[in-house]
Amino acid sequence: TKYGFNTNNAMWLITLMQLAYKKKEVVEDVCTNVYDMEHVTVIDNDETDTHCFITYNERIITITFRGTDSLKNWLTNLDFIPTDAAFPARYGTAGVTVHGGFNTALMSVWEEIQTIVNDAFEKHPDLRLFISGHSLGGALANLCYGHFTFGNEPRHVGAVYTIGQPCAGNAKFVKTLSEESPHTAYIRITNNQDVVPSVAPGEHCGVNIHFNSSGELHFDPGLFRGMINQIGSIHGSVTNLNHEIGRAHV
């Protein structure tokens, strides 16, 4: 678990990212009958073409965001006008900004996310919260983590795992988020064939696990390389995910 990385969490959350592209009935069936979750809600906003699902039991709650699946969604990606994202004033005055298009997409489903998460914690106060997402969904996961952390009633996020995410905010956003949540593990997985992580200006959060053109695993920071033998199987999962939804990147 060095740098907060956990092999089991990584493999499970990658599977959830794959599941996010399936039909609602499949998501509900897998979460209920395979993962033994007591609750699952699929959230779809057709206006912004934003999609995620939330599932929980008495121990864990996960929020999983789907990536780009349409031209409309891709155009949302390209709205990089910085905004303060309606964070409390103390963060705006500190210079924290995020990309407007990504934040608009998240805000279109944020009220429903908050309601479900609050209800879950009322039932199970000791829940561990995990957030994940692929491509655009990774940027939304990043911002979701930010809103939980910067809110007037902050909620601790145990870990964030993303695959192929673009930057969601500026350097001050990344620095302040890290300072405000020092115990949150943020793992950002990328591969050599995906251009999406570099399309948006700004700065990335977390520890980067990168697969180069030869399929070799590289870590940032360098000390993370010592874990390479533990997570070699992740490469196959990432490859499968990109193959399955490669058409999603317009």
Side-chain angles (χ1 to χ4, degrees):
T1 58
K2 193 173 184 180
Y3 295 104
F5 181 85
N6 181 285
T7 307
N8 291 333
N9 289 344
M11 297 303 297
W12 181 51
L13 293 172
I14 287 171
T15 301
L16 293 183
M17 286 184 248
Q18 293 174 314
L19 184 61
Y21 288 87
K22 304 298 184 181
K23 293 181 179 179
K24 177 181 178 181
E25 294 77 13
V26 176
V27 174
E28 293 172 339
D29 182 60
V30 171
C31 289
T32 302
N33 298 312
V34 177
Y35 295 129
D36 197 27
M37 296 297 191
E38 68 180 63
H39 176 97
V40 56
T41 296
V42 177
I43 300 175
D44 295 300
N45 186 295
D46 292 333
E47 183 177 351
T48 60
D49 201 8
T50 302
H51 310 274
C52 67
F53 72 90
I54 304 174
T55 189
Y56 65 83
N57 58 21
E58 72 281 2
R59 298 180 296 107
I60 52 177
I61 178 169
T62 67
I63 306 170
T64 306
F65 292 91
R66 197 183 78 184
T68 307
D69 199 35
S70 73
L71 180 59
K72 181 193 298 184
N73 219 329
W74 183 249
L75 292 175
T76 300
N77 290 9
L78 298 180
D79 180 3
F80 298 141
I81 298 173
T83 176
D84 63 9
F87 292 137
R90 62 187 180 277
Y91 298 112
T93 56
V96 172
T97 62
V98 300
H99 294 311
F102 297 152
N103 194 65
T104 296
L106 176 65
M107 289 298 98
S108 71
V109 296
W110 179 243
E111 184 175 349
E112 190 169 358
I113 288 174
Q114 278 191 303
T115 298
I116 295 169
V117 171
N118 289 341
D119 287 347
F121 274 91
E122 284 185 11
K123 296 176 183 176
H124 308 295
D126 297 325
L127 283 174
R128 292 192 65 199
L129 171 59
F130 295 89
I131 308 174
S132 63
H134 169 260
S135 191
L136 168 64
L140 300 186
N142 194 165
L143 290 177
C144 183
Y145 163 41
H147 279 276
F148 278 127
T149 302
F150 293 152
N152 287 317
E153 297 180 0
R155 190 174 295 285
H156 175 65
V157 176
V160 182
Y161 283 69
T162 70
I163 296 177
Q165 76 154 94
C167 293
N170 66 355
K172 195 67 176 181
F173 170 69
V174 173
K175 181 176 184 294
T176 307
L177 190 53
S178 178
E179 291 172 347
E180 293 289 321
S181 56
H183 302 297
T184 297
Y186 197 113
I187 307 299
R188 185 173 57 86
I189 302 170
T190 58
N191 75 74
N192 186 68
Q193 298 177 349
D194 192 355
V195 300
V196 172
S198 62
V199 298
E203 188 166 315
H204 280 294
C205 287
V207 172
N208 182 214
I209 298 176
H210 181 74
F211 294 97
N212 66 16
S213 58
S214 300
E216 297 172 332
L217 194 59
H218 293 270
F219 298 96
D220 175 25
L223 291 176
F224 206 45
R225 178 177 292 277
M227 301 183 66
I228 189 168
N229 292 328
Q230 290 182 278
I231 57 174
S233 59
I234 287 180
H235 186 207
S237 294
V238 175
T239 300
N240 290 339
L241 179 59
N242 285 327
H243 175 75
E244 179 179 349
I245 56 183
R247 65 182 183 280
H249 289 158
V250 179

